[in-house]
Amino acid sequence: MEVSYLLAAAAWLASPLALADMNVALLDNKPAFIADVMRQMTLDEKIGQLRLISIGSDMPQPQLLKEIAAGRIGGTFNTVTRADNRPLQDAAVKRSRLKIPLFFAYDVVHGHRTIFPISLAQASSWDMDAVSLSARTSAMEASADGIDMTFAPMVDISRDPRWGRTSEGFGEDPYLVSEIARTAVHAYQGKSLAAADSVMASVKHFALYGAVEGGRDYNTVDMSPMRMYQDYLPPYRAAVDAGAGGVMVALNSINGVPATSNTWLMQDLLRKDWGFRGVTISDHGAIAELIRHGVAKDGREAARLAIRAGIDMSMHDSLYLQELPGLVKSGEVKEPEIDNAVREILGAKYDMGLFHDPYRRIGAAAGDPPDVNAESRLHRAAARDVARRSMVLLENSKQILPLKKAGVIALVGPLADAPIDIMGSWSAAGVARQSVTLYQGMRTALGDKARLVYARGANVTDNQHIVDYLNYLNWDKPEITQDKRSPEAMIAEAVKAAGQADVIVAAVGEARGMSHESSSRTSLDIPASQHALLAALKATGKPLVLVLMNGRPLALNWERENADAILETWFSGTEGGNAIADVLFGDYNPSGKLPISFPRSVGQIPIYYNHLRIGRPFIEGKPGNYTSQYFEEANGPLYPFGYGLSYTDFSLSDVKLSTRTLDRDGKLDASVTLRNTGRRDGATVVQLYVQDVSASVVRPVKELKDFRKIMLKAGEEKVVHFTVDAEKLKFFNAGLQYVAEPGEFNLQIGLDSRTVRQQSFELR
Ligand code: NOJ
């Protein structure tokens, strides 16, 4: 414990404002301290702690302050300044009977004031330093605004890009997402959760939210336990093991029982099996939704089910407040059950350092930033760095990229100058006018070396129904601005601009709201208005470079056939425009790899690389009847998991194994020589996959087990080593035991999941 802490705490506790009768000496002993606080609490005060209030939607400010002072609120979310949080904390620690501090939470998902690339983009970096930089910077910025907890990381595995929240997650692979989960939790929480620049990570959405049926948001999930344990649960587990202080519970049901009333999930798995010690939080209104799920007949039953399942805090509903007193009185809920929840909530506050100093992150008014959006508060260099590392070069067959900073470049497309969209959804306290658009980024990069002609060319969509829907989503104000000109006039202007240019750069894809909560799609196509623009640009015969901005895999068949280069930039954040320009002009050599498969069409979904083996597999190049395939189009993904090009080329040698027989307690070294055979320095990701040749249950065709991002100078080579042991070969068998079974394994190393070099070994 830091000395300054104890002094601050002692001063606070010794003041007349301090917790009644609280023993300063206990402050160093968490269980004793919390027991002492709880000893003083009435049942109503305990129930008050279970409430997490959404600022701006739950109640007006005067009522909020009154409720806090009455000890009826445990924490709030959705405020983003110290000045906003201070009066709330004052009400708690100066006016409530027991003076228990509040905590302040917010959805800091990919940046706070500085917006980093969306999570799916960060996963494309396969670079844990980049993930860590984003989360650490976010924690610093959020805590400097008085925030104590973030509702992140979101680690829901998604194999269905129709789901709009695919953008918020880190892709389809349990290993990669688990690595990221661990990294992000450590970075948010810092060395000590109590530090002023740390925020508590509340991992979400527990569990399996990414598997909603049909990719339709909030839909049901029905899944075998083996698949759950093997593929979907590991990232949450990784976050818990990394010490995440909070867990946010999913909105969906799991095999017929909503997560919010799921005792198996919340008690048996999370607390007993995984040993989670921390606070569990329902998602927005989820306790009341138990009625609509049809497992509770009324609010009283909903509250009973949720508290008994182990939901400590209720977000944005008043059912705990209304119903728990009566439920305790009638004996349907026992006070010790309420105590369990209170203990975790007070424990979280203790861990965040709030009992030691409730103003730890809010600070004194004199220290408030005069301008919360001041440039000096942003971390632009970090955001640009992470954004560059997150981009994936999908096509560059004629080496049209990198572009020369010379001649005339036509920049077209509805996303070329779109400061709101480039931030992506869940952009926290990000401010659109601080975003660098692609247009601005290219202008800066070019200076007077080349001429940039710009034309919008199309609206993101001409479908008014979709525009209305996107504007209706939960933004503060409508954010889709339609160009009122006719589609023909806009295309004509773009074609004219293209006519003057040596090369066309077209920024196309989705409005950010299209890849968001409640934004599921039935099509993965680039909207028709933009497709018409691209077709007209193609007809000019000029080289065509596509810069994609989107939050999910898209079906890019036409684009792949017709574009000369395609750069997947996702939604790249505050510094997106500069970062994309860095890549387009070769000031940065792209090194991202897809963290999720790109299908050819919606009909292929679900399509993911680590699917189970089957009895009649389709074999590429050997089409035949009665094998597993779709007969009207090519099979397999358009771009596989792990895929991404560079401006240089790499070669991989055959795989060398240190032994062909691995003992149960032994280790095996697998190595390859990676060589940069091109003319530029560059980085790539060497990926290790394993296939269990024969096991007691059907196993995947391959599974990612390790990876290394390696930077090589032109002409340089390096031997890359991986260690394999029995731990890496374990899986959940039919009895859900985590075991490695003896027998043969194929070990594959590649620069994507499809093209690999293979060797075999035996586990004894
Ligand atoms: C609902 C979302 O599902 C969740 O991800 C988010 O953290 C909460 N709202 C709070 O904003």
Side-chain angles (χ1 to χ4, degrees), residues 226 230 612-613 692-700 731-737 739 741:
M226 254 201 293
Q230 193 60 38
L612 294 182
R613 288 166 66 189
D692 197 337
V693 175
S694 161
S696 60
V697 293
V698 177
R699 304 282 300 120
F731 63 96
F732 290 94
N733 67 15
L736 296 182
Q737 290 138 332
V739 294
E741 295 178 354

Side-chain angles (χ1 to χ4, degrees), residues 126 172 593-594 597 608-610 637 639-644 687 689 701-702 704 748-756:
W126 294 55
E172 74 186 26
K593 301 276 187 176
L594 295 178
S597 310
Y608 49 95
Y609 84 95
N610 50 348
Y639 297 112
F641 176 82
Y643 169 86
Q687 304 158 33
Y689 296 90
V701 291
K702 63 180 72 184
L704 184 71
Q748 307 174 339
I749 298 180
L751 301 180
D752 64 54
S753 62
R754 187 156 57 190
T755 314
V756 292

Side-chain angles (χ1 to χ4, degrees), residues 77 107 151 165 204-205 248 251 283-284 315 426 517:
F77 67 107
D107 288 281
F151 299 139
R165 306 196 78 169
K204 66 190 185 185
H205 304 84
M248 187 191 289
L251 293 161
D283 200 347
H284 216 255
M315 181 194 287
W426 294 106
E517 180 178 347

